[in-house]
Amino acid sequence: MHSSFLRRAARKAPLRAQLSRSHRLANSVESSSHRHSVSSNSFTTTACPSISAANTHGPLVPIARSFSVSPELIEDDENDVPFDSSFESKAEPVSPSKPIRFEDLDLHPKTLKALRRQGLHKTTEIQEKTFDVIVSGKDVVGRARTGTGKTLSFLLPSLERIVRQQAKRPLPGIQMLVLSPTRELAAQIAKQAETICEHHDASITSQVMFGGSSKDEDIRRLSAKSPTILVATPGRLKDHLAKTKLRGGNPFIDTLQNLQVLVLDETDRLLDMGFRQDIQDILSCLPRKRQTLLFSATLPLSVRSVIDEATANSSNGGYELVDCIQDEDPASHTNARTEQRHVVLPAHRFWTGSMELLLDLMEDKKAKIMVFFPMTSLVQLYSNLFQLRFGRRVLELHGRMHQRERSTISRRFRNAAKGVLFTSDVSARGVDYPNVTHVIQIGAAGSRETYIHRLGRTGRAGKKGQGLLVLPEIEEHFLQDLEGLVLPLDGKLQNQLDKVMPSKLLMDELGPVAQDVRVGKDRKLEQSIKDAYQAMVAYYYQRLEDRNETVDFVATINALAQNMGLSELPPIDSYRARKIGIDDIPGLNIRDSWKDKDWSSGWGEEPGRPKKPFGKPIGDFEGAFDRPSGRKQHHERTKRIWEASPNAGRGRSRNRDGGGSRSSSRYGNDRSQGPRAGFRSNREESEPQFLKLGWKHGLADPPKNERSNTRRKNKAFQRWESPGMTPK
Ligand SMILES: Nc1ncnc2c1ncn2[C@@H]1O[C@H](COP(=O)(O)OP(=O)(O)OP(=O)(O)O)[C@@H](O)[C@H]1O
C-alpha cells in the first residue's frame, strides 16, 4: 500500500495551514487544481541506447597492494583546485551514446561560455536526452548511473527556461528550487549552479541553505535579494517556510509563489520514509503549477509506484521517463569502468582483516580512497586508531561533526589529489570528489541502492575506479541483494585474509595499541572501542533480525574486544538488553548495572568515581528503545509506519518482556518500504533508527568533548599535510 503522498500533501497542507493567516497567496494556491493526471501506463519513455554490460576488466589482480591506481587517475596538483576544473578535456565520454556538443543545444551564449570555461564541451547521455524535454516544460523522471552528470542535466535546461521566461516577462522571487538529502550535496549543487550562472547578469543568482549553518545568514541573504535558484535540504527549508519573515515583514513562503521548477535530486532518498513527511509539507507550500524534475541513479520499484500514484490525474500529460539504465541488465546499474570485487572475512578476522587490508591499501601513496563504514561509531574508532595510533593520514567525515568542520573536511578531500577519507553514509550519495580511485565498503550497505551510490563515488565522469566490498561472514547474504552486479570474489586477497594470523605489518602496529588498552593507558581509545562494540551488537542484532537470519554474530563482534586488548567484554546493561531483545543471546556480557555501583554513599556511584547526584543511569543503549520522553513518540511513529507499510499485519512481534524473538519479523528485502525504513529519522545517514537515539547513536549532537576530539584529529591531518611535518 503506497500512499499517494504528493496528493495527500496537497490536501493536508500542514505548513500552509500554520501560515495561512499571514500568507496572502494561500487561497489562490489552495484552489488551483493538481496538475498531474496520467497513470504509469501512459508515461512516455525516452529509452536510452543500450549500455554495454560486458565486464570489460581483465583478470583480477588480487592482493590489496595490487589494488593500485592507474597513473591517469592521479592529479599532480594538490593545491586548491576550483570546483570541477578536474574534468576538462581529460574526461572521456561518460556514456556510450553519441554525445552532442553543448553548442548544438539551444543554450544561452552566457551559459555556453561558463561551460567552456569549465572545460565541458559535449553532453553526457542523460544531459542530451533530457534537455529538450525539460526546456519544453514537461515533468521528467531521470535515471542514469552515478557520476554521469545528472546535476547539469537538470540545471542547464531549467536555467534556459528561466532565462527565456525572464527575458519575456521578469518574475520576482525564487524560480527554481532544488532539494537535496545531504548538506554536502546541497552545497555542491549550489556551487555548480553558481558556476553556470556566473556570466549571466546579476539578476540571476543562486543560494544554498542547509542545517548546521546560520539561519540568520540565510535570512539576511534572502532579504537582500531572492535568489533565482535556491538549493536546500528539506529540514532547513521547512524551518524557513514555517517561521521565517524577511526584512520588511514578508513571509519567506511568498518568495516561492512564482516557482517554475522543482527538483528532487536523489529522489528515492527524498521519497523514502525518513524524508517523506518533510517533502509532503514542503510540497504543500509550493504552487501546483510548476515543473517537477526527479533524478537519481536508483529508482527502486517502491519509489516508482509512489511517483506513479502521485502523478496520476496530472493535467500536464504525465511525466516523461528518461531512463539510461536497463532494469533487465543489472550490470548497467553501476559504472562499467568501475571494477568491483568482494572478500568475505571469517568471524575471527573481521577486525584484523579489515585493518590489515586498509593498512595495505594506504601503502599506495597515490591512491585517493573513500572507506565507508556501516555506523558512525566505527568511523570514529577506525579514525582514532589509524590517525592517532597507526600514524596514518586519514580524514574523518560523519554526521556527528560540526557543520563547519564537515565543510572543511569535505573541501579538503575534494581538493586533495590523494588521501584517505573514513566516512559514514553522509558521503554515500551525490557528492562529487574528483578522482577517487578506490571505494572500500567495510560491512554491508543498508540496501542495494546504498551500495550502488557508495560505489559511485569512484569512476565518475568517465574515469576508472575500483570498488571492494569487505563483508563479514555474518553478512555474506548481502551478496544476494547485489545479484546481477559483476562483483567477483577476489581470490588472492581472500586467501591472504583467510590466514589465521594477521600480517606482520598489522601485528607491529596493533600490538602496542592493544597493550596500552590492556593496561589502561589509552582510555580514549578504550571508550571508542566500547562504543563501537555496543553499537555493533545492537546493529547486527537488529539487521539480522530484520532479514530473519539466524547467524551467530556475537563471535565476530566479541573479537573486537579481544583483538583490541580489552580485559573483558564491554558490559551491556540488562534492562536495556531486555528492551532491545538481546538479553537471551549467549556470549554477551549482560550485567545488572546497579549491582556494579557502590551504593554505600547512597548515590549509587561506581567505586573510585567522583560522587554525583543519583540520576537516571546513562548507558550505552540509552534511548535505544526506552527514552522516557521519546517513548510515546516512538510508539506513535511505529504505529504510523505500520499503517503505511506494505507489510503491515505480517510478522513483527517483539516480545519485549521476554527478549526479542529473532525469527519473528518478515519485512522482505525492501527496507525502504518496511517498518524499519521509518526509523531513519536522522535523514542524512541511512543507519537504522535504533542506532540514532541518543547522541552515541546519532540523533542528538555529540557532547563537546567528542566534537573537539574529531577536530583534533583532523587538525593533526592538516599538520601532517604541511611541508616538513611527518606523522609520529
Ligand atoms: N558533459 C560533461 N562532460 C564531462 N564531465 C561532466 C559533464 N557533465 C558533468 N560532468 C562532470 O561529471 C561529474 C559528475 O557529475 P554529477 O555529480 O552531476 O553526477 P551525477 O550523475 O549526479 O552523480 P551521482 O548519481 O553520484 O549524484 C561532475 O564533476 C561534473 O562536473
Side-chain angles (χ1 to χ4, degrees), residues 6-80:
L6 292 172
R7 266 205 315 269
R8 275 199 282 117
R11 277 204 303 271
K12 280 170 68 184
L15 271 179
R16 177 168 297 286
Q18 205 179 329
L19 294 158
S20 58
R21 260 159 293 168
S22 64
H23 183 219
R24 60 189 156 81
L25 293 177
N27 291 340
S28 64
V29 175
E30 285 296 338
S31 61
S32 66
S33 63
H34 201 296
R35 68 191 290 268
H36 299 289
S37 75
V38 179
S39 72
S40 53
N41 342 2
S42 55
F43 298 146
T44 341
T45 303
T46 308
C48 294
S50 152
I51 295 166
S52 158
N55 178 12
T56 50
H57 317 301
L60 298 172
V61 193
I63 58 165
R65 220 172 261 117
S66 71
F67 221 60
S68 60
V69 200
S70 27
E72 78 257 34
L73 297 178
I74 307 300
E75 290 222 337
D76 294 327
D77 186 6
E78 202 178 347
N79 301 326
D80 277 7

Side-chain angles (χ1 to χ4, degrees), residues 84 87 122 127 146-151 266 430 432 457 460-461:
D84 278 346
F87 290 101
K122 290 180 178 171
Q127 290 163 0
T146 51
T148 54
K150 289 188 287 297
T151 314
E266 306 295 345
D432 184 48
R457 297 318 98 206
R460 297 174 73 75

Side-chain angles (χ1 to χ4, degrees), residues 498-676:
D498 279 342
K499 288 185 186 139
V500 179
M501 290 302 288
S503 69
K504 182 170 178 323
L505 177 65
L506 181 67
M507 300 269 268
D508 290 348
E509 300 278 9
L510 197 58
V513 177
Q515 178 60 19
D516 283 357
V517 171
R518 192 168 297 119
V519 298
K521 259 176 71 183
D522 193 339
R523 293 273 180 215
K524 194 157 267 172
L525 184 64
E526 190 180 328
Q527 192 52 49
S528 193
I529 298 164
K530 287 180 179 170
D531 288 346
Y533 175 91
Q534 283 153 342
M536 287 198 71
V537 171
Y539 173 81
Y540 276 115
Y541 167 71
Q542 206 65 58
R543 193 173 156 83
L544 295 168
E545 193 203 44
D546 283 356
R547 298 184 62 109
N548 196 23
E549 297 280 344
T550 50
V551 188
D552 174 15
F553 63 95
V554 175
T556 302
I557 302 168
N558 282 357
L560 172 68
Q562 222 169 8
N563 297 157
M564 299 297 295
L566 291 188
S567 48
E568 63 163 5
L569 290 174
I572 297 169
D573 175 67
S574 57
Y575 173 72
R576 295 187 177 87
R578 206 161 42 246
K579 287 287 176 191
I580 295 167
I582 54 174
D583 57 326
D584 58 348
I585 296 182
L588 297 175
N589 183 10
I590 311 270
R591 284 234 292 270
D592 293 331
S593 58
W594 62 272
K595 282 187 189 157
D596 294 341
K597 312 241 180 215
D598 171 12
W599 293 95
S600 57
S601 68
W603 292 116
E605 285 302 325
E606 285 172 34
R609 297 273 169 89
K611 306 272 182 280
K612 273 189 271 158
F614 180 74
K616 190 175 179 300
I618 307 291
D620 293 291
F621 289 101
E622 173 65 19
F625 287 104
D626 61 337
R627 275 201 315 185
S629 57
R631 190 169 186 164
K632 188 159 170 258
Q633 209 182 345
H634 168 76
H635 284 308
E636 277 168 7
R637 202 161 44 140
T638 310
K639 196 166 154 240
R640 213 174 49 231
I641 293 159
W642 261 108
E643 285 164 2
S645 159
N647 295 320
R650 290 201 287 142
R652 186 167 186 79
S653 64
R654 177 184 295 283
N655 174 359
R656 285 178 179 272
D657 295 322
S661 142
R662 255 157 294 157
S663 56
S664 60
S665 61
R666 304 274 190 283
Y667 301 146
N669 285 343
D670 186 357
R671 292 165 60 87
S672 68
Q673 286 304 305
R676 294 236 68 81

Side-chain angles (χ1 to χ4, degrees), residues 367-383:
K368 185 165 173 180
I369 306 169
M370 285 178 80
V371 185
F372 286 95
F373 292 92
M375 67 193 72
T376 301
S377 53
L378 271 187
V379 179
Q380 291 176 313
L381 171 62
Y382 274 63
S383 302

Side-chain angles (χ1 to χ4, degrees), residues 3 270-280 306 673:
S3 55
L270 289 178
L271 297 188
D272 91 12
M273 293 296 279
F275 278 111
R276 211 175 271 186
Q277 187 60 47
D278 284 355
I279 299 292
Q280 226 168 346
V306 171
Q673 286 304 305

